[in-house]
Structure formats: C-alpha cells, structure tokens
Amino acid sequence: MQYLHIQILSPKQTIFDGQALSLSSKNSAGKFDILPQHANFITLVEDQPITVYLPDKKPLNFNFPKAIIYTSQNFVKIYTDITL
C-alpha cells in the first residue's frame, strides 16, 4: 500500500509530520481529495477543515484561517499562518 507523506508547517512549528492514506478538504472550486500518486497540485484553503486519513487510526481534522496545500510525488506540504 502506498502512502502520502504529509507535513503541516507554520512559521513557528511543525504541526504534523507523518504518513497518511489520503487528505480531503474544500477550496473555492469545491471538495477535493489527495490520494497517493496524485498529480502535482497547489491550492488555497480558507476556513475549511483539512482532514488527514491515517492508517489504522481516526482521521485528524485541522482548521486554519488560510492554508496553502502543495502536492508533488506523494509528498504533501501544508503551509499555514501565512500573510498573503
């Protein structure tokens, strides 16, 4: 089984760093999911939950006023607390 490596970063700390099955959220175009082997992707998420589905555990939910999600080669970086 393939996994995503997800990092959630703010200027002050690493909020999450680990393996996940998938990630779901919603941007201005609508709901989306990121699965292993996802195409390169970048989006802005504003005031919407970001759900990280972990192997054999309950999903983790994160809420940020603004977050940039970047995906490439099974690696997902989420940057939050960024002044745009």
Side-chain angles (χ1 to χ4, degrees):
M1 179 176 288
Q2 289 190 329
Y3 296 101
L4 296 167
H5 186 101
I6 297 178
Q7 286 185 327
I8 302 175
L9 308 165
S10 77
K12 297 178 183 176
Q13 67 180 355
T14 298
I15 298 166
F16 177 81
D17 189 350
Q19 300 290 322
L21 299 170
S22 64
L23 177 144
S24 297
S25 191
K26 184 178 178 182
N27 62 14
S28 62
K31 293 181 181 180
F32 65 89
D33 299 306
I34 299 174
L35 303 167
Q37 300 300 315
H38 197 284
N40 291 350
F41 178 71
I42 190 166
T43 191
L44 175 65
V45 173
E46 296 183 279
D47 294 316
Q48 294 295 323
I50 299 170
T51 304
V52 177
Y53 296 93
L54 303 173
D56 303 322
K57 294 182 183 176
K58 290 179 93 174
L60 297 177
N61 289 302
F62 300 93
N63 267 319
F64 305 111
K66 292 183 182 177
I68 296 172
I69 299 176
Y70 170 74
T71 303
S72 178
Q73 300 178 346
N74 288 336
F75 204 91
V76 180
K77 287 193 176 187
I78 300 170
Y79 301 99
T80 187
D81 294 327
I82 298 172
T83 303
L84 298 176

